[in-house]
Amino acid sequence: MTHTVVLGGGICGLAAGFSLAEHGERVTLIEAQHFLGGLATTLRGETGAGFDFGPHAYHARNERVLNMFKDIASDGFPARAKNVRIKFRGKYYKYPLEAFDIAKSMSPILAARAFADYSIESLRRRLRPRALVSAEDWVVQAMGRTLYSLFFGPYTTKVWGVPPSQLAASFAQHRIPHISLAKVITSSLRKGRAKITGSEHRYAPLVIELFYPPRGAGLISERMAERILRASPQNEICTGALVTGLDTEGGRVVAVRYREVPSTKRDGQLAQLASGTEERGSPYTDFSSEEQRIACDRVASSIPLPALIHLLGDAASNDAKAAAKFLRFRALTIVGLRVKRPTALPAQSIYFTNKTFNRLSETRNYGGSDVCAPDETVLLCDITCDVGDRIWNASADELGRICAKELAEEGFMKESELAESVVLRSTFGYPVYMVGYERAIDTLMKELMRFENLVTGGRQGLYKYVDMDIASEMGLAMADHLLSGTSKRDAIANVPYEDRVFA
Ligand SMILES: Cc1cc2nc3c(=O)[nH]c(=O)nc-3n(C[C@H](O)[C@H](O)[C@H](O)COP(=O)(O)OP(=O)(O)OC[C@H]3O[C@@H](n4cnc5c(N)ncnc54)[C@H](O)[C@@H]3O)c2cc1C
């Protein structure tokens, strides 16, 4: 029986392992944390209340993935309509913010300037198109400088930690639909599903129906793991096991090395995701445990792409190592609050431009009816940060107090209602698409083609800003390829770059 070692027990690695196991393959999955699910997990606080890495609601643009989620959660969780808002210049708007909404928030003079800017850019685009290198170039030519300066510029700098002039144009192109005045008018007249226009990118966050398990998002990952183990007594899931190296022979990976590592839970911090290869911020610095080695026939990786290259050691070329160093992640600190009131927010999530957090969510409003006691509620504050900065180093108590104060100012709770504060951290929250990152990715994709029995996929493994459905689809695609027996080159030769689901 062919033995596949899966690296990383997030939803991508689990989907790959689950599909291989259900097809009768032997699977060993190695996960650094003491729990499964990666970013799609639900961790428990002191009273058993569930905290996600920001609420993880399920949706799928792909029928196969949606059916897999439904099959795994066959006892069901009902769909809810998406109800997400943005607070901008003192008023609530629908998310994502449309250019019209920004315009509505302006004085007539500013609106006239924005319209003039937009019209000039539209004309310029047709008559004398400019080279678009950065996200700033892309957004300015799409919506004009006034709209860019009011919202996109400052918000992007806050979330990503760098100005849009340093982010690649493709980042904006993939996340922000081109504004056409005609489309904005027709779209604002439509409702529900009909609002999705053909021009939206498949990774765009405009999804109408969401599914959320009553006890927390982690249910799907837990059940996938159970099914991997149930498929065969030979299958193994090793948690608290950090992959520390890959052994290669003649362009094939022949073994995976790992070490047992302690849990990252401490002092109000429920977890800190990390690959162990970070220059700063890795919780895995004590390598006193003995390195173990598992022989394998092939490897499906979902750990961060730069870490995978690092772990290949001398088998990776110097060009690949340099390219891997170019790729950066924005770190993430989620502040979870257990609050003594049954409900707090008028929406599932609200985005803010002027608070410590970027997004505030109430898990119950997504369908998480049982994440905590009925007379309490769980609020999640998403904060992007850099490893080692003030937010990263602050305690759960300190961040809890800051967030509760800002929430009280908005009228969502009283500071005295705060019952518990926790933090969930990850060194890899978001891939940062710096100008020039495409070149680094091309180098790494070519490099990985040299290793026929090694595939990589997932949000971190392919360095793509995707949701759980696409991360799962990537896991299934890795399994499909391994099961097909075709060469990697044949399997991905016809996949266009943007749709690439593994490498
Ligand atoms: C704040 C936030 C909110 C989100 N909300 C949603 C949402 O509502 N809906 C949605 O569909 N998607 C959402 N997403 C996206 C979703 O989290 C991801 O697409 C998905 O979970 C990625 O899964 P993955 O398996 O590819 O990666 P990960 O979940 O990052 O899994 C990678 C795993 O590899 C492990 N690992 C890393 N290095 C090593 C090593 N050296 N050895 C062993 N193990 C290692 C990690 O511990 C981790 O478990 C959100 C993401 C964020 C950041």
Side-chain angles (χ1 to χ4, degrees), residues 158 269 280 330-333 335 354-358 383-403 406 423 425:
K158 177 176 185 246
Q269 171 178 289
R280 291 190 319 150
R330 181 84 160 139
L332 180 68
T333 296
V335 181
N354 59 349
K355 300 260 182 262
T356 304
F357 42 86
N358 308 324
I383 311 180
T384 41
C385 60
D386 286 326
V387 166
D389 72 8
R390 185 179 61 82
I391 295 287
W392 184 262
N393 290 330
S395 70
D397 275 352
E398 187 190 342
L399 289 174
R401 275 197 304 276
I402 293 172
C403 292
E406 294 186 3
V423 290
R425 291 195 163 99

Side-chain angles (χ1 to χ4, degrees), residues 10 13 22 27-28 39 56 71 97 103 142 144 174 199 205 229 232 268 285 362 385 403 430 446 451 485 494 500:
E22 300 248 314
V27 172
T28 303
L39 286 172
H56 272 67
D71 169 45
L97 196 65
H174 292 163
S199 65
L229 294 177
S232 162
T285 44
E362 183 164 8
C385 60
C403 292
Y430 296 86
K446 281 197 194 100
F451 301 93
N494 296 324
R500 183 172 257 178

Side-chain angles (χ1 to χ4, degrees), residues 270-310:
L270 297 185
Q272 182 188 322
L273 301 188
S275 69
T277 60
E278 293 86 355
E279 276 170 18
R280 291 190 319 150
S282 169
Y284 310 118
T285 44
D286 172 16
F287 282 122
S288 52
S289 63
E290 203 178 311
E291 197 170 50
Q292 325 252 355
R293 188 175 186 274
I294 313 178
C296 60
D297 298 308
R298 46 205 192 183
V299 170
S301 176
S302 65
I303 67 173
L305 185 52
L308 177 64
I309 299 298
H310 181 97

Side-chain angles (χ1 to χ4, degrees), residues 27-295:
V27 172
T28 303
L29 185 145
I30 305 183
E31 165 56 49
Q33 297 291 324
H34 284 67
F35 56 85
L36 293 163
L39 286 172
T41 197
T42 300
L43 300 172
R44 304 280 156 199
E46 61 195 21
T47 60
F51 297 93
D52 299 352
F53 269 94
H56 272 67
Y58 289 84
H59 51 73
R61 302 148 182 94
N62 173 316
E63 201 69 26
R64 181 181 177 200
V65 173
L66 190 61
N67 288 340
M68 180 183 78
F69 289 155
K70 285 184 174 164
D71 169 45
I72 289 170
S74 51
D75 41 345
F77 38 91
R80 296 232 172 170
K82 186 168 175 175
N83 173 14
V84 173
R85 301 195 199 166
I86 180 158
K87 182 131 190 226
F88 178 63
R89 291 160 76 95
K91 285 205 188 113
Y92 288 102
Y93 296 93
K94 275 184 281 161
Y95 177 84
L97 196 65
E98 289 179 355
F100 256 19
D101 295 330
I102 304 180
K104 268 195 279 180
S105 76
M106 300 175 196
S107 67
I109 293 172
L110 198 57
R113 202 172 86 200
F115 184 73
D117 268 4
Y118 167 79
S119 306
I120 292 167
E121 286 299 335
S122 301
L123 206 63
R124 197 205 307 265
R125 211 160 57 223
R126 274 189 212 109
L127 300 179
R128 204 149 38 97
R130 282 182 298 208
L132 304 176
V133 176
S134 70
E136 177 174 315
D137 298 341
W138 198 93
V139 180
V140 169
Q141 63 85 39
M143 55 173 81
R145 186 154 293 275
T146 305
L147 292 178
Y148 165 85
S149 313
L150 273 176
F151 178 71
F152 186 82
Y155 189 68
T156 304
T157 307
K158 177 176 185 246
V159 173
W160 298 89
V162 286
S165 56
Q166 291 179 30
L167 295 172
S170 56
F171 159 77
Q173 193 181 357
H174 292 163
R175 306 294 303 179
I176 302 164
H178 233 291
I179 301 169
S180 129
L181 268 191
K183 270 197 187 143
V184 168
I185 292 164
T186 47
S187 157
S188 60
L189 296 175
R190 291 198 210 123
K191 282 209 158 69
R193 277 191 177 283
K195 269 181 102 52
I196 302 178
T197 64
S199 65
E200 271 134 22
H201 189 267
R202 64 190 286 241
Y203 297 158
L206 193 58
V207 172
I208 303 294
E209 271 183 341
L210 302 171
F211 299 84
Y212 190 88
R215 273 186 51 74
L219 174 97
I220 299 276
S221 302
E222 282 164 26
R223 293 211 176 149
M224 279 186 184
E226 281 162 21
R227 285 181 54 171
I228 293 174
L229 294 177
R230 223 185 300 141
S232 162
Q234 278 191 302
N235 292 344
E236 269 185 277
I237 293 186
C238 312
T239 51
L242 181 76
V243 177
T244 44
L246 303 182
D247 292 343
T248 61
E249 273 173 32
R252 290 182 68 79
V253 182
V254 293
V256 173
R257 285 178 278 122
Y258 70 91
R259 288 176 196 269
E260 284 176 15
V261 285
S263 159
T264 55
K265 181 174 177 174
R266 61 187 67 100
D267 304 331
Q269 171 178 289
L270 297 185
Q272 182 188 322
L273 301 188
S275 69
T277 60
E278 293 86 355
E279 276 170 18
R280 291 190 319 150
S282 169
Y284 310 118
T285 44
D286 172 16
F287 282 122
S288 52
S289 63
E290 203 178 311
E291 197 170 50
Q292 325 252 355
R293 188 175 186 274
I294 313 178

Side-chain angles (χ1 to χ4, degrees), residues 406-442:
E406 294 186 3
L407 284 168
E409 281 160 11
E410 286 291 320
F412 294 140
M413 63 177 278
K414 293 192 188 115
E415 284 174 75
S416 57
E417 290 169 339
L418 180 62
E420 181 182 2
S421 311
V422 300
V423 290
L424 292 82
R425 291 195 163 99
S426 177
T427 60
F428 41 83
Y430 296 86
V432 185
Y433 294 157
M434 302 296 287
V435 168
Y437 87 98
E438 295 97 332
R439 254 195 326 275
I441 292 286
D442 277 351

